[in-house]
Amino acid sequence: MTLRKYLVLAGVTVFSTAGDSLLARGMKNLGSISLHNLSGLVLSVLSPFVATGILLLLAFFTCYMSALSWADLTYVLPATSVGYVLVALIAHFGFHEEISPTRWLGIAMIAAGVGFVAAGPSVTPCHETRDSRDASSENVTAGVKS
Amino acid sequence: MKDAYTWAAIGLVIIASTTGDVLLSYSMKRVGDVAELWKRRGILAVVGRILATPTFTLGLMAMGIAFYSLLFGLSWGNLSLVVPASASLTFVANALAARIFLHERVSRRRWIAALLVAGGVILMAI
């Protein structure tokens, strides 16, 4: 794991959290959308909150694809949940919002989970890429058992 | 009725996003390390190779379905139910799917992590 890879994982975290928050905010402003009114769903992208949210989610997607090109799905995915922790910590230390004991427990569980994964290997060694397909064939059997 | 719609949307988000994640992860593993490919062959080669992977397009479509299902869910149900319910169950579903379809080594360490994160996400929303 190099600094660049940690930066990509940080991008996954920050962009997904910011994007989701803006989307949620935008959809709340629009109110309920029913199956009979599908045009409302399509037009929702014209709201500035939803539009900015989608742009940030595109940035997230770029980082996410980059991360998935060198790390396992089960390694990258927990990183996306660090955002919940960040939002709560910013709310508490930045805006002095109260955080209930259950939420502190949730923060601790997410942090512990992410720490668990981050301490382990980032990729299962048996994955084939186009360039290493021939070279890695002898590793395939080693990767299956666990 | 609104409840049934909400849970149907949550279920769809879980299935679609797990399918999408697995397909995208599979595609990117076939493409290989993007940064190295970029350095060697340029950005166009990276984009070209990604777009030439059929499972990438399928994964993108699944993600699109998940995205719109989430928008549906958010417009019907509470934010504090829809987001944590779909997010936490997606972590568990993804760990299962990664093991079965991607043959990732989901060690005990990663299972504990998936369950801790899923539980933590639920607690954060209460």
Side-chain angles (χ1 to χ4, degrees), chain A residues 30-79:
Chain A
L30 290 173
S32 283
I33 291 169
S34 71
L35 273 178
H36 312 291
N37 181 21
L38 281 174
S39 59
L41 198 57
V42 179
L43 290 177
S44 67
V45 297
L46 295 178
S47 139
F49 280 111
V50 175
T52 318
I54 290 174
L55 279 182
L56 287 173
L57 286 180
L58 280 178
F60 150 73
F61 191 72
T62 310
C63 292
Y64 190 48
M65 284 306 102
S66 170
L68 282 181
S69 77
W70 42 257
D72 281 349
L73 180 60
T74 38
Y75 184 85
V76 180
L77 215 56

Side-chain angles (χ1 to χ4, degrees), chain B residues 59-74:
Chain B
L60 219 53
M61 284 161 67
M63 283 309 202
I65 293 172
F67 174 73
Y68 272 104
S69 310
L70 185 69
L71 287 194
F72 264 113
L74 283 176

